[in-house]
């Protein structure tokens, strides 16, 4: 039983040690203000050395400058069971005199990658972007930095009692990406990020 407990604790410590990286789609958003009552659909992947996530995102702007979004995907991580992962969040464009757009972005995510552990995380940070229309028509580049807080817990059975074990981690995460608009509705994106490990993401976005 002691060995099983150590294995379990080691497992969910390793799960939480990668932060948001394996469990969510890339940022895949610019900081440009959204127009009210506009919507979009994103499909893509995020892959690291030991994981891959395939998923989709729906977004809607109830107000000028504010976008709400929700993700759903399937994640596979080496050595773990794999399973669905969900994320919800918002991005709000800030009025600034700067020559580029700036937005605040926050998310909450919940992956289900192992039946023995409960995982929940949250992020808060910012996005900056600038279109390069004068150089390459349709191209926008963006960068993002955020704090990622992830908590993992499990109930460990020890003979006649149950012990609750938990562990928290906080990371500084970074991302750089580019979005290329082919038409008024269709865009492709690619992104490099680092959340305690490097990740590469990409996909397509359709504005409705």
């Amino acid at each position: 039983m002691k060995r099983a407990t150590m294995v379990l604790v080691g497992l969910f410590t390793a799960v939480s040690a990668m932060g948001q990286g394996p469990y969510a789609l890339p940022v895949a958003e610019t900081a440009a203000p959204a127009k009210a009552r506009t919507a979009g659909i994103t499909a893509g992947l995020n892959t690291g050395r030991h994981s891959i996530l395939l998923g989709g995102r729906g977004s809607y702007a109830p107000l000028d400058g504010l976008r709400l979004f929700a993700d759903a995907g399937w994640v596979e991580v080496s050595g773990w069971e794999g399973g669905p992962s969900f994320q919800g969040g918002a991005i709000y464009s800030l009025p600034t005199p700067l020559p580029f757009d700036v937005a605040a972005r926050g998310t909450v995510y919940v992956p289900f990658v192992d039946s023995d552990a409960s995982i929940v995380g949250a992020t808060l940070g910012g996005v900056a972007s600038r279109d390069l229309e004068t150089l390459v028509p349709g191209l926008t580049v963006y960068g993002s930095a955020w704090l990622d807080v992830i908590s993992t817990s499990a109930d460990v059975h020890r003979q006649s009692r149950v012990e609750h074990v938990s562990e928290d981690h906080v990371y500084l995460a970074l991302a750089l990406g580019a979005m290329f608009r082919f038409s008024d509705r269709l865009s492709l994106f690619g992104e490099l990020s680092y959340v305690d490990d490097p990740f590469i993401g990409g996909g397509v976005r359709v504005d409705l």
Side-chain angles (χ1 to χ4, degrees):
M1 179 62 70
K2 183 177 180 181
R3 181 177 181 276
T5 300
M6 294 177 63
V7 169
L8 175 59
V9 172
L11 169 66
F12 76 69
T13 298
V15 169
S16 64
M18 286 200 294
Q20 183 192 30
Y23 310 128
L25 285 174
V27 174
E29 296 273 5
T30 72
K35 294 182 179 179
R37 297 181 296 279
T38 57
I41 297 174
T42 301
L45 60 84
N46 201 22
T47 182
R49 290 184 298 173
H50 307 293
S51 66
I52 183 169
L53 176 136
L54 301 173
R57 170 182 299 163
S59 63
Y60 178 73
L63 303 170
D64 286 338
L66 175 64
R67 280 171 289 181
L68 306 178
F69 58 88
D71 298 2
W74 185 270
V75 60
E76 293 286 345
V77 184
S78 298
W80 304 329
E81 296 174 6
S85 185
F86 303 96
Q87 177 177 249
I91 180 168
Y92 180 69
S93 299
L94 304 172
T96 71
L98 300 172
F100 51 86
D101 296 311
V102 177
R105 184 178 189 269
T107 70
V108 175
Y109 60 94
V110 182
F112 298 90
V113 294
D114 195 280
S115 58
D116 291 324
S118 174
I119 307 168
V120 62
T123 70
L124 182 63
V127 181
S129 65
R130 182 167 183 175
D131 72 67
L132 301 179
E133 286 284 343
T134 56
L135 298 176
V136 181
L139 179 64
T140 299
V141 294
Y142 62 88
S144 183
W146 66 94
L147 287 177
D148 179 9
V149 181
I150 183 169
S151 177
T152 309
S153 61
D155 290 327
V156 179
H157 295 268
R158 291 183 174 178
Q159 297 180 351
S160 60
R161 62 190 179 92
V162 177
E163 181 178 341
H164 186 77
V165 184
S166 64
E167 187 158 326
D168 302 323
H169 291 270
V170 179
Y171 300 104
L172 174 62
L174 303 170
L176 292 173
M179 185 168 289
F180 187 81
R181 182 176 291 275
F182 284 94
S183 67
D184 290 340
R185 294 185 179 274
L186 179 65
S187 301
L188 295 181
F189 68 87
E191 183 175 313
L192 300 175
S193 62
Y194 188 88
V195 190
D196 197 49
D197 216 26
F199 294 89
I200 300 175
V204 58
R205 175 182 172 88
V206 178
D207 293 310
L208 305 177

